[in-house]
């Protein structure tokens, strides 16, 4: 009996240690990725990277200024398209909705959220590229914006719902109409959460590559206006990583570092904003 | 989840009984209509997406029917399209990734939920969330320059010399292939398994653990025989979620799978996946049939992820409700 107990205790200690090892291994991947990118990207990054156009094939040097600007334009368009739909849709769900319509909207949003990004790419290609017969920044922004909608919608709704009931009742007792209550009480009370939701949605699409291959495509030069194909950081990383040139590999590392840095900073910022406000469960 | 709060504002007797006209004057009705338009557009876009996928794949569905999934000749020149190699590659890489990610992920989730003090658990969860935010093209970049050489030089030769008698580990070590793609996918989906499983495990009521401990079980026995079975549904949900991600993952897989449309028993063999072939060929489709065959592959991917995500959601919600129900009782 005693040896059996000792065995059980040993198994317990061993298995619990193993779970700790699993956790450490999983988390260490993050630091490995960061360290590797810092090492390889840090040595390849230079002022030229941010200011120069890609050099012609075969020449070393050059940078990714057009891809950085391109990513900025794409993300701006995506935000302008996705965030209003998500935000106002969430207001409908949280304040006016209920019943079957709200259920259908939520269901559609969850469905959209689960659609693989490559399928979003097909959709945007069929809708915004084929009819016009050319790739464009607009089509890319449309694809990324589509992906922002469900994330913004569902989290904003959660945060709006988390606004205490007393606040609504207080406003209405003062005679405010419902939309006045929403505009001047509910949305301001939930603004930290809403901002977090938007930032997280932004960070999520900032690194998306697959839909951009079919929509924004890529460009080795500046892309004037919104109606031309444009370079973007994620697509550049992809094209440069699978290329045979060492100099392009170095640039891919640098672009990877810039992109990952941007995404992680936005993520940390978003969580910082949230944790300083009322904490709300985000499940 | 939230069904009661929706009616709160209109529940007041005054608000509820106001006429349509007075609500219109206050702007309530206008605000309602405007926000409704935005909400409805979400449904519209989703319907349009399904419609495009269905309508866009009419030709191959009629021409090949079920043979599309059974034949393995993919020849754009002679307009022959059989998707078996892509479906095979997608399933094999996702399978490999789950074999690695499930034990690691659940182990880590148990540590975070059961063992680690709250502060450490929250800090680690923060890192896991950041890991989930790393874009897939970055995983692809590291896959190409770190995992592929590692596989070619060390892991594949080692596997070949020890387990080489299995058909799984035969053939030349290229570095790229099913196994490499599976490993990169595993690294990518582990954060999803950990986050969701941890939430589910945390929702298991305290009495369950205490009852097991008071009956004399060790810490591990109470975790493995009581807490984990209680949360089984939700953990399954997290696995389905991870599977759905793995099936639809594009960039990282495209960069390390080798892009070679064959069905091979060997995990060392370069392969192809549904998402990868779409990424590589959609913009260069030579004929309408070719283009539509790629859209049909997109439809397959859509249906797979749709079913898996739906199941996952049901399981996760059911498990956390079970937990909270017991907690209050």
């Amino acid at each position: 009996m005693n040896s059996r107990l000792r065995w059980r205790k040993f198994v317990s200690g061993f298995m619990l240690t193993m779970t700790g090892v699993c956790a450490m291994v999983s988390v260490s991947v993050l630091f490995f990725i960061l360290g590797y990118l810092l090492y390889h990207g840090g040595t390849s990054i230079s002022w030229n990277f941010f200011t120069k156009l890609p050099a012609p094939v075969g020449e070393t040097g050059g940078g990714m200024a057009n891809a950085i600007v391109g990513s900025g334009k794409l993300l701006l368009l995506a935000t302008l398209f996705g965030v209003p739909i998500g935000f106002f849709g969430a207001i409908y769900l949280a304040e006016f909705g209920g019943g079957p319509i709200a259920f259908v909207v939520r269901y559609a949003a969850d469905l959209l959220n689960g659609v693989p990004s490559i399928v979003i790419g097909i959709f945007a290609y069929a809708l915004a590229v084929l009819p016009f017969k050319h790739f464009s920044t607009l089509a890319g922004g449309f694809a990324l914006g589509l992906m922002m909608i469900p994330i913004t919608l569902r989290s904003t709704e959660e945060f709006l719902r988390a606004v205490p009931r007393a606040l609504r009742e207080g406003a209405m007792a003062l005679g405010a109409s419902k939309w006045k209550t929403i505009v001047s009480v509910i949305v301001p009370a939930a603004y930290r959460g809403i901002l977090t939701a938007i930032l997280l949605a932004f960070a999520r699409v900032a690194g998306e590559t697959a839909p951009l291959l079919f929509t924004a495509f890529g460009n080795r030069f500046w892309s004037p206006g919104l109606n031309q194909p444009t370079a973007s950081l994620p697509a550049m990383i992809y094209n440069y990583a699978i290329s045979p040139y060492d100099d392009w590999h170095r640039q891919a590392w640098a672009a990877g570092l810039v992109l990952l840095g941007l995404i992680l900073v936005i993520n940390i910022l978003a969580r910082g904003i949230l944790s300083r406000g009322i904490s709300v469960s985000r499940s | 989840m939230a069904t009661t709060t929706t009616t709160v504002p209109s529940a007041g007797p005054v608000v509820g009984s106001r006429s349509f006209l007075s609500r219109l004057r206050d702007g309530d009705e206008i605000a309602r209509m405007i926000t409704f338009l935005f909400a409805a557009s979400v449904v519209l876009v989703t319907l349009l997406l399904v419609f495009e996928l269905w309508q866009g794949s009419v030709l191959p569905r009629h021409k090949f029917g079920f043979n599309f999934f059974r034949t393995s000749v993919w020849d754009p020149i002679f307009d022959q399209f059989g998707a078996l190699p892509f479906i095979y590659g997608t399933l094999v890489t996702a399978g490999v990734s789950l074999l690695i990610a499930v034990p690691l992920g659940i182990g880590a989730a148990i540590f975070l939920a059961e063992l680690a003090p709250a502060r450490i658990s929250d800090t680690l969860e923060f890192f896991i969330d950041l890991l989930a935010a790393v874009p897939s093209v970055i995983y692809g970049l590291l896959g190409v320059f770190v995992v592929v050489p590692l596989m070619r030089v060390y892991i594949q030769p080692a596997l070949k010399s020890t387990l080489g008698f299995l058909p799984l580990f035969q053939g030349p070590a290229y570095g790229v292939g099913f196994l490499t793609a599976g490993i990169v996918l595993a690294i990518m989906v582990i954060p999803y398994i950990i986050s969701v499983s941890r939430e589910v495990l945390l929702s298991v009521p305290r009495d369950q653990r205490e009852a097991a401990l008071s009956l004399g079980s060790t810490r591990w026995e109470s975790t493995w025989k009581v807490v984990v079975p209680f949360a089984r549904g939700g953990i399954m949900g997290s696995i389905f979620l991870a599977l759905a991600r793995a099936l639809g993952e594009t960039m990282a897989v495209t960069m390390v799978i080798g892009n070679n449309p064959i069905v091979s028993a060997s995990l060392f063999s370069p392969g192809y996946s549904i998402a990868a072939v779409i990424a590589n060929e959609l913009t260069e489709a030579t004929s309408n049939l070719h283009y539509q065959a790629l859209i049909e592959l997109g439809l397959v991917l859509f249906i797979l992820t749709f079913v898996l995500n739906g199941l996952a959601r049901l399981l996760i919600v059911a498990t956390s409700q079970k937990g909270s129900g017991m907690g209050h009782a």
Side-chain angles (χ1 to χ4, degrees):
Chain A
M1 192 63 201
N2 206 2
S3 74
R4 166 123 183 90
L5 186 62
R6 213 174 306 139
W7 170 248
R8 285 172 55 204
K9 284 199 163 155
F10 168 75
V11 168
S12 177
F14 178 77
M15 292 308 286
L16 292 175
T17 317
M18 287 314 288
T19 63
V21 172
C22 289
M24 290 311 136
V25 168
S26 307
V27 170
S28 63
V29 171
L30 176 70
F31 293 99
F32 175 78
I33 293 176
L34 270 179
Y36 214 86
L37 275 176
L38 274 175
Y39 175 69
H40 278 271
T43 51
S44 330
I45 218 162
S46 64
W47 187 240
N48 280 347
F49 178 83
F50 295 101
T51 54
K52 287 236 162 69
L53 280 177
V57 180
E59 281 178 35
T60 54
M64 290 199 186
N66 59 340
I68 294 170
V69 173
S71 266
K73 272 156 71 178
L74 286 168
L75 287 170
L76 185 71
L77 282 176
T79 310
L80 288 178
F81 170 59
V83 167
I85 296 184
F87 176 73
F88 288 110
I91 288 185
Y92 177 79
L93 287 184
E95 306 300 329
F96 297 106
I101 297 178
F103 175 80
V104 171
V105 173
R106 275 188 210 108
Y107 193 84
D110 285 343
L111 203 159
L112 201 59
N113 195 23
V115 174
S117 60
I118 188 91
V119 177
I120 297 275
I122 295 180
F123 179 56
Y125 181 74
L127 216 65
V129 174
L130 272 190
F132 305 101
K133 299 199 167 27
H134 62 86
F135 301 106
S136 67
T137 311
L138 276 174
F142 171 69
L144 295 185
L146 273 182
M147 306 189 67
M148 284 182 85
I149 293 174
I151 315 173
T152 320
L153 179 87
R154 296 293 271 143
S155 349
T156 304
E157 188 200 348
E158 296 267 327
F159 289 116
L160 288 175
R161 283 184 186 290
V163 172
R165 198 171 151 157
L167 277 180
R168 295 160 206 269
E169 286 170 355
M172 301 194 97
L174 288 173
S177 66
K178 192 159 165 181
W179 78 267
K180 191 88 188 151
T181 310
I182 295 171
V183 171
S184 51
V185 176
I186 298 175
V187 171
Y191 92 93
R192 276 176 198 282
I194 295 170
L195 198 60
T196 305
I198 294 172
L199 282 175
L200 287 179
F202 184 88
R204 156 114 187 255
V205 299
E208 275 302 337
T209 318
L212 294 182
L213 297 179
F214 311 148
T215 50
F217 195 64
N219 195 337
R220 297 194 62 77
F221 305 98
W222 292 107
S223 159
L226 300 174
N227 220 1
Q228 305 282 325
T230 181
S232 60
L233 274 179
M236 279 302 234
I237 297 175
Y238 171 63
N239 287 324
Y240 274 29
I242 60 173
S243 79
Y245 312 113
D246 278 342
D247 192 54
W248 284 20
H249 294 168
R250 268 196 296 284
Q251 303 231 15
W253 284 114
L257 179 64
V258 171
L259 184 64
L260 187 67
L262 176 80
I263 289 172
L264 292 189
V265 165
I266 295 175
N267 263 279
I268 293 169
L269 203 71
R271 280 159 227 272
I273 289 173
L274 188 62
S275 66
R276 284 199 291 130
I278 323 153
S279 87
V280 173
S281 86
R282 288 208 315 116
S283 61
Chain B
M1 277 189 277
T3 45
T4 46
T5 43
T6 44
T7 52
V8 168
S10 56
V14 186
V15 183
S17 60
R18 281 194 304 162
S19 71
F20 177 78
L21 260 180
S22 85
R23 274 183 290 150
L24 194 64
R25 215 173 31 243
D26 284 347
D28 285 1
E29 212 45 48
I30 298 170
R32 184 194 167 85
M33 280 188 269
I34 291 174
T35 56
F36 171 76
L37 283 182
F38 281 101
S41 69
V42 179
V43 182
L44 216 66
V45 158
T46 313
L47 286 177
L48 196 61
L49 176 92
V50 178
F51 175 79
E52 283 280 345
L53 288 177
W54 185 253
Q55 204 56 34
S57 58
V58 160
L59 282 179
R61 272 191 288 116
H62 285 178
K63 180 150 189 241
F64 303 119
F66 196 70
N67 277 335
F68 186 69
F69 306 106
R70 277 197 310 221
T71 54
S72 47
V73 177
W74 184 269
D75 191 343
I77 297 168
F78 291 100
D79 261 352
Q80 274 303 313
F81 298 102
L84 188 63
F86 310 116
I87 295 168
Y88 176 80
T90 303
L91 294 180
V92 168
T93 48
V96 171
S97 78
L98 284 192
L99 280 181
I100 301 167
V102 166
L104 258 174
I106 293 178
I110 289 176
F111 178 79
L112 292 181
E114 300 292 311
L115 275 183
R119 274 189 64 169
I120 295 181
S121 178
D122 285 345
T123 313
L124 291 181
E125 175 62 26
F126 173 69
F127 291 137
I128 296 291
D129 282 347
L130 288 188
L131 202 52
V134 175
S136 88
V137 72
I138 301 273
Y139 283 105
L141 184 68
L142 284 150
V144 168
F145 293 110
V146 180
V147 184
V148 168
L150 212 64
M151 294 294 293
R152 186 172 52 225
V153 179
Y154 297 105
I155 300 176
Q156 288 182 342
L159 278 173
K160 210 166 161 178
S161 60
T162 50
L163 297 166
F165 58 88
L166 293 171
L168 288 179
F169 303 111
Q170 285 172 0
Y174 292 111
V176 295
F178 294 120
L179 186 60
T180 312
I183 289 174
V184 173
L185 274 180
I187 299 170
M188 296 183 68
V189 298
I190 282 176
Y192 298 101
I193 298 187
I194 297 182
S195 291
V196 178
S197 296
R198 171 179 176 261
E199 289 285 318
V200 179
L201 286 171
L202 284 176
S203 78
V204 174
R206 226 188 138 77
D207 352 352
Q208 295 279 325
R209 296 181 184 90
E210 285 168 356
L213 290 174
S214 71
L215 287 173
S217 62
T218 61
R219 189 91 178 261
W220 171 251
E221 285 163 350
S222 97
T223 302
W224 189 246
K225 294 187 177 152
V226 178
V227 178
V228 171
F230 192 95
R232 195 188 292 134
I235 294 178
M236 279 307 290
S238 82
I239 296 172
F240 285 161
L241 216 59
L243 182 58
R245 304 282 315 189
L247 292 176
E249 182 46 55
T250 312
M251 298 320 297
V253 174
T254 310
M255 290 162 88
V256 299
I257 199 171
N259 297 344
N260 178 24
I262 56 162
V263 175
S264 161
S266 169
L267 292 179
F268 290 175
S269 160
Y272 224 144
S273 79
I274 295 180
V277 73
I278 299 174
N280 283 333
E281 294 186 5
L282 188 79
T283 56
E284 289 158 13
T286 46
S287 66
N288 211 13
L289 191 65
H290 186 191
Y291 172 65
Q292 296 213 354
L294 291 167
I295 295 192
E296 183 171 0
L297 282 176
L299 181 67
V300 171
L301 216 51
F302 174 81
I303 292 171
L304 280 175
T305 49
F306 168 67
V307 171
L308 284 168
N309 280 324
L311 273 177
R313 227 179 2 254
L314 281 180
L315 283 168
I316 293 165
V317 169
T319 310
S320 17
Q321 272 173 1
K322 181 165 112 183
S324 58
M326 297 270 303
H328 293 306

